[in-house]
Amino acid sequence: MLQRLPVPEAEMDSADERLSDDRHIESAYQTIDSSEGASDVDDNCPYDTDSTNGQTIASWFDRDIGSFMISFGVHLIAILILAVAPVVIQPEVLSVVLKSEPIPDSEVEFDINTEVTYSELPNEQIGSNSVGEMTSMALSMAPIISDVSDIPAPETMDPQLNANVDMSLQVREAVGLVQSKQVVRGMTGVAMSGTQGAVDRITFEILKSIEERPTTVVWIFDASVSLQVRLQEIRDRFDQIYEELGIVQSATREKRGRGETEPLLTSIVSFGKQVDLMTKNPTADINEIRKAIDAIKIDSSGDEYIFTAIYLAADKYKEVRVPRGRSGPERNLMLIAVTDERGSDIQALERTVGLCNKYAIPVYILGSPAPFGREHTYMKYVDPDPNFDQTPQWGEIDQGPESIIPERVYIGSEQEIYDEPIIDSGFGPYALSRLCYETGGIFFTIHPNRRFNGNVTQSEIEPFNAHLARFFDPDKMFRYRPDYVSEAEYLKLVRASPIRQAVLQAAQLGRVDAISRGTQRFVKTDEVVFANQLTEPQQDAARMEPRLYELCTILFNAEKHRGKEVNPRWLAAYDLACGEALAAKVCTESYNLMLAKARRGMTFKDPKNNTWVLSPSNEVSVGSKYEKEAEAAKEIFRRVAKDHEGTPWSYVAERELRRPIGWSWKEAFTDL
């Protein structure tokens, strides 16, 4: 801050004198200017006016040179003083510290329809390295696989949440947990027919944890009405859980002596549209735990902020990992969430994964299976109060997809897609499964009607469960695990493979309309009326053909790269999409040609008949080109059914093989 300094009186007097001299000089210059070009000279001028010899200027200079030099010197000294003063007299300097939050990385815009450059080399980072004999789960790409995930503790516990998190979970040194360095991932797609099996496995995980060190377990319950049955099942199991754990606690106390910290502490959290902490502090009192669960109120908002709940729980109890003043972990921390949907706040996934990874907090989720290639399923709802109508109702519920975006190409009329059976994907919803996978936990897919030897009808579905018509053996599904990576990494993997690029480009076209393969009747009363009846369906087919051609072009342009794709999930998705696209194209185009044939004229063999019926047929009779394409589509379906037996892709391929691709005209009689 600059301050005005006081000027001494002597200097003020000097300044006045200098000001007078300056005015005198200015007057002199005005006189010189006015004298230039003047024809007559004023007789009263005090200076010599002989302009010829320049005596006017010279006289003035000789007479006032002394005062001019004095004035010049005074000005020069004043300038030097002003220049040196700031150096000699240092003003007080204000130190300004700028504080700002790190600028977040810009979000990757997920747009598959972009110009890309493909590598001719095969991608080595595709697929799962899980061992074949592992059952009931799909494991990670880790070089070292264990039946039960070891939960590592990080070398350092920096409490700053803004620090960068190693999302790839590179080698981390475990403090007192593991001796060797290894990449550790969680498990997904661990299939369970009921809550009991999942809780028993959770009990084992808790036992394993408290054998290593004291453990705090946070149970996070979905408060929606559809989870009340599952919540009650878990509550009823708590006695057995903590009876089993109590044995370990007692033995641990004997080893450590009295006065030591409790080996197991439990906290209860509920979530819906808001997150509620049901226990003030973690407790070892089973009665207090029961009361906390009983106090959970039903949330009917329809919102399920599970990622927010997990994040807040991890943030609240993260200090138990490395309390201040200690060099190593004091307690293990486990988060166990119970839900039946994918969550309403998926945008919080990345920060939740980051926080849990930072403090080595595994997340276990008792959830529901995701539908194959779909976002929604239909849940059977029966009023929990027996005094009300017990008629089953079916409501749409968000439980998928199993991948970051649907990797499924849907072709056909809207009604056809609606009627297509919804089947199990073999995994849970992508975001929740990735959270478990990244943090070293387990995602349990629970469905009470799970069986692998046939289809499941709607009438068999128990209340508060989604109708999935078919389930698949986890032993066969482990090779088909989705890519549990960030959007940026997923897009990178897609762009590295023309096959993946083609699948997602085709999927992003949305529902591609095609002719329904149902029987159609055309009554022929006269030629004009009959021709008019054929016009509209022909126009519909013509309208659909360009989209089907575009779809086939996208898919089959990548066929030359098929040998470079090694991931069985993407190969199955690509082959199935090719077969479905080609079959729909042949079906729609041959339908158009069959209508054109009828317009040219057809004669009834039986004169009594007056109706032409266009029926689905295994025969394609409109030309050898379409006959070859139909056979090619069937061959693709047969390959998918064989190469990916026991998977959702094989199930759909076998279903397509049973559907006729061509058409045939049959005559019939309609009583008018």
Side-chain angles (χ1 to χ4, degrees):
M1 182 175 179
L2 298 179
Q3 297 181 348
R4 185 180 298 277
L5 300 178
V7 182
E9 294 183 359
E11 292 185 17
M12 292 180 65
D13 295 339
S14 175
D16 292 338
E17 293 175 2
R18 290 195 300 271
L19 179 61
S20 177
D21 291 340
D22 292 342
R23 290 173 179 172
H24 181 72
I25 295 171
E26 181 180 358
S27 176
Y29 273 105
Q30 290 176 354
T31 303
I32 294 171
D33 293 338
S34 63
S35 64
E36 289 178 0
S39 55
D40 298 324
V41 180
D42 188 357
D43 295 335
N44 296 325
C45 178
Y47 306 113
D48 188 351
T49 58
D50 187 358
S51 58
T52 304
N53 298 322
Q55 292 179 355
T56 301
I57 298 176
S59 296
W60 170 81
F61 185 83
D62 292 341
R63 188 177 306 162
D64 292 329
I65 185 62
S67 60
F68 174 80
M69 293 302 297
I70 292 173
S71 176
F72 177 80
V74 170
H75 280 76
L76 181 61
I77 293 172
I79 292 172
L80 291 176
I81 292 174
L82 291 175
V84 175
V87 179
V88 177
I89 305 174
Q90 290 289 341
E92 182 180 359
V93 179
L94 297 179
S95 177
V96 180
V97 179
L98 298 179
K99 296 182 179 180
S100 64
E101 295 293 330
I103 300 175
D105 294 334
S106 59
E107 295 185 357
V108 178
E109 183 179 355
F110 191 76
D111 183 10
I112 299 299
N113 295 315
T114 54
E115 294 286 340
V116 297
T117 302
Y118 302 118
S119 171
E120 295 298 326
L121 298 177
N123 192 331
E124 298 179 356
Q125 194 184 356
I126 298 177
S128 172
N129 295 331
S130 302
V131 292
E133 59 271 16
M134 293 300 295
T135 61
S136 301
M137 64 193 70
L139 295 177
S140 66
M141 295 182 287
I144 300 177
I145 305 296
S146 63
D147 292 338
V148 181
S149 299
D150 289 329
I151 309 305
E155 292 182 356
T156 59
M157 291 289 187
D158 186 358
Q160 296 182 6
L161 296 181
N162 288 330
N164 292 328
V165 179
D166 183 6
M167 300 304 293
S168 63
L169 280 182
Q170 295 300 322
V171 179
R172 297 188 296 174
E173 189 85 31
V175 182
L177 289 179
V178 293
Q179 301 299 324
S180 61
K181 295 182 179 181
Q182 58 182 324
V183 178
V184 180
R185 293 286 194 184
M187 303 175 183
T188 62
V190 179
M192 294 290 175
S193 296
T195 305
Q196 179 176 345
V199 172
D200 288 345
R201 178 59 188 273
I202 288 291
T203 304
F204 171 75
E205 293 290 323
I206 298 174
L207 284 169
K208 183 175 180 294
S209 179
I210 62 178
E211 285 176 355
E212 295 165 337
R213 64 169 52 85
T215 300
T216 298
V217 176
V218 183
W219 288 82
I220 305 171
F221 290 103
D222 186 341
S224 60
V225 65
S226 60
L227 259 293
Q228 295 307 300
V229 174
R230 190 175 297 179
L231 187 150
Q232 190 62 37
E233 290 175 349
I234 294 174
R235 182 207 179 281
D236 294 341
R237 295 282 297 171
F238 260 86
D239 287 340
Q240 182 176 345
I241 294 172
Y242 283 86
E243 181 181 350
E244 296 173 358
L245 296 178
I247 298 173
V248 178
Q249 291 189 64
S250 299
T252 307
R253 286 195 187 96
E254 291 177 3
K255 290 181 181 179
R256 299 186 181 184
R258 295 182 179 179
E260 292 292 330
T261 182
E262 287 285 351
L264 178 64
L265 295 174
T266 301
S267 185
I268 305 296
V269 173
S270 71
F271 70 91
K273 192 172 184 178
Q274 63 183 22
V275 179
D276 296 316
L277 180 63
M278 308 306 296
T279 50
K280 184 176 181 181
N281 295 303
T283 179
D285 187 344
I286 184 64
N287 292 323
E288 186 177 346
I289 295 171
R290 287 198 206 96
K291 291 179 181 178
I293 296 176
D294 292 338
I296 295 176
K297 297 180 180 179
I298 295 177
D299 186 295
S300 57
S301 66
D303 295 321
E304 297 184 347
Y305 295 130
I306 184 171
F307 294 98
T308 301
I310 293 173
Y311 180 89
L312 293 177
D315 187 56
K316 179 174 178 60
Y317 295 110
K318 65 189 178 187
E319 296 300 331
V320 307
R321 296 292 292 128
V322 179
R324 293 171 183 167
R326 293 179 62 97
S327 59
E330 181 184 37
R331 302 181 68 89
N332 286 341
L333 178 60
M334 298 172 59
L335 304 182
I336 306 171
V338 183
T339 186
D340 62 355
E341 292 197 50
R342 70 184 182 191
S344 305
D345 55 343
I346 298 178
Q347 67 276 4
L349 169 64
E350 297 297 340
R351 67 170 187 172
T352 304
V353 169
L355 180 61
C356 292
N357 277 343
K358 186 174 185 178
Y359 291 94
I361 305 170
V363 179
Y364 299 82
I365 296 178
L366 281 64
S368 298
F372 174 59
R374 291 176 179 257
E375 295 187 17
H376 312 294
T377 56
Y378 296 92
M379 173 178 285
K380 185 177 185 178
Y381 174 81
V382 177
D383 198 303
D385 190 340
N387 296 321
F388 290 90
D389 184 11
Q390 298 295 291
T391 303
Q393 305 292 328
W394 294 90
E396 190 176 75
I397 185 171
D398 299 334
Q399 290 187 329
E402 78 279 13
S403 52
I404 192 169
I405 63 172
E407 299 163 353
R408 179 85 167 85
V409 178
Y410 281 99
I411 306 171
S413 66
E414 187 172 356
Q415 185 61 38
E416 278 186 299
I417 296 176
Y418 179 81
D419 293 338
E420 182 177 323
I422 301 175
I423 59 178
D424 176 28
S425 68
F427 303 92
Y430 156 77
L432 292 174
S433 296
R434 182 183 162 210
L435 177 59
C436 296
Y437 172 75
E438 290 271 20
T439 60
I442 302 174
F443 187 95
F444 299 92
T445 58
I446 300 174
H447 200 291
N449 302 106
R450 183 189 302 276
R451 69 168 183 263
F452 308 129
N453 58 353
N455 291 342
V456 180
T457 64
Q458 280 192 345
S459 60
E460 297 178 79
I461 300 298
E462 294 186 14
F464 303 107
N465 287 279
H467 177 220
L468 297 175
R470 186 78 178 212
F471 293 91
F472 301 95
D473 190 344
D475 290 348
K476 295 182 179 179
M477 288 301 299
F478 78 90
R479 297 175 57 240
Y480 297 86
R481 178 182 59 79
D483 297 306
Y484 294 126
V485 295
S486 65
E487 283 191 4
E489 183 63 22
Y490 182 84
L491 187 58
K492 180 180 178 182
L493 293 174
V494 168
R495 286 175 171 167
S497 167
I499 294 299
R500 301 185 183 196
Q501 180 81 9
V503 170
L504 291 192
Q505 279 187 324
Q508 284 195 328
L509 291 178
R511 180 180 63 84
V512 179
D513 205 356
I515 289 297
S516 174
R517 299 182 210 184
T519 299
Q520 302 187 34
R521 297 174 65 90
F522 302 90
V523 178
K524 185 176 182 181
T525 56
D526 60 60
E527 293 296 337
V528 176
V529 173
F530 182 65
N532 290 337
Q533 290 183 64
L534 300 174
T535 299
E536 184 175 350
Q538 263 198 295
Q539 290 176 343
D540 290 339
R543 174 180 53 82
M544 298 172 186
E545 287 174 5
R547 283 287 296 264
L548 291 168
Y549 179 81
E550 177 187 7
L551 178 63
C552 288
T553 301
I554 292 173
L555 291 168
F556 285 95
N557 278 348
E559 188 177 19
K560 60 184 178 182
H561 302 283
R562 185 181 178 279
K564 300 174 185 178
E565 180 60 70
V566 297
N567 186 298
R569 178 182 179 86
W570 285 100
L571 283 173
Y574 174 76
D575 286 347
L576 180 61
C578 287
E580 289 181 300
L582 188 57
K585 173 179 175 294
V586 173
C587 182
T588 302
E589 291 180 348
S590 61
Y591 174 85
N592 193 352
L593 292 172
M594 292 295 283
L595 294 178
K597 177 183 177 180
R599 290 174 69 92
R600 290 194 297 268
M602 296 188 301
T603 304
F604 293 111
K605 292 182 180 180
D606 187 343
K608 296 180 181 179
N609 291 330
N610 62 352
T611 303
W612 286 107
V613 179
L614 187 57
S615 301
S617 172
N618 288 319
E619 179 185 359
V620 179
S621 58
V622 292
S624 59
K625 170 182 179 293
Y626 298 101
E627 188 176 358
K628 291 179 181 178
E629 289 181 347
E631 183 56 35
K634 291 178 181 179
E635 182 59 33
I636 293 174
F637 289 139
R638 285 190 284 266
R639 181 172 64 193
V640 173
K642 177 183 177 182
D643 294 348
H644 309 283
E645 182 181 3
T647 69
W649 298 273
S650 175
Y651 174 84
V652 176
E654 290 173 351
R655 185 170 177 267
E656 289 294 322
L657 280 171
R658 294 191 294 268
R659 301 178 66 187
I661 297 178
W663 302 91
S664 64
W665 282 112
K666 297 179 181 179
E667 59 182 75
F669 173 76
T670 300
D671 188 356
L672 300 178

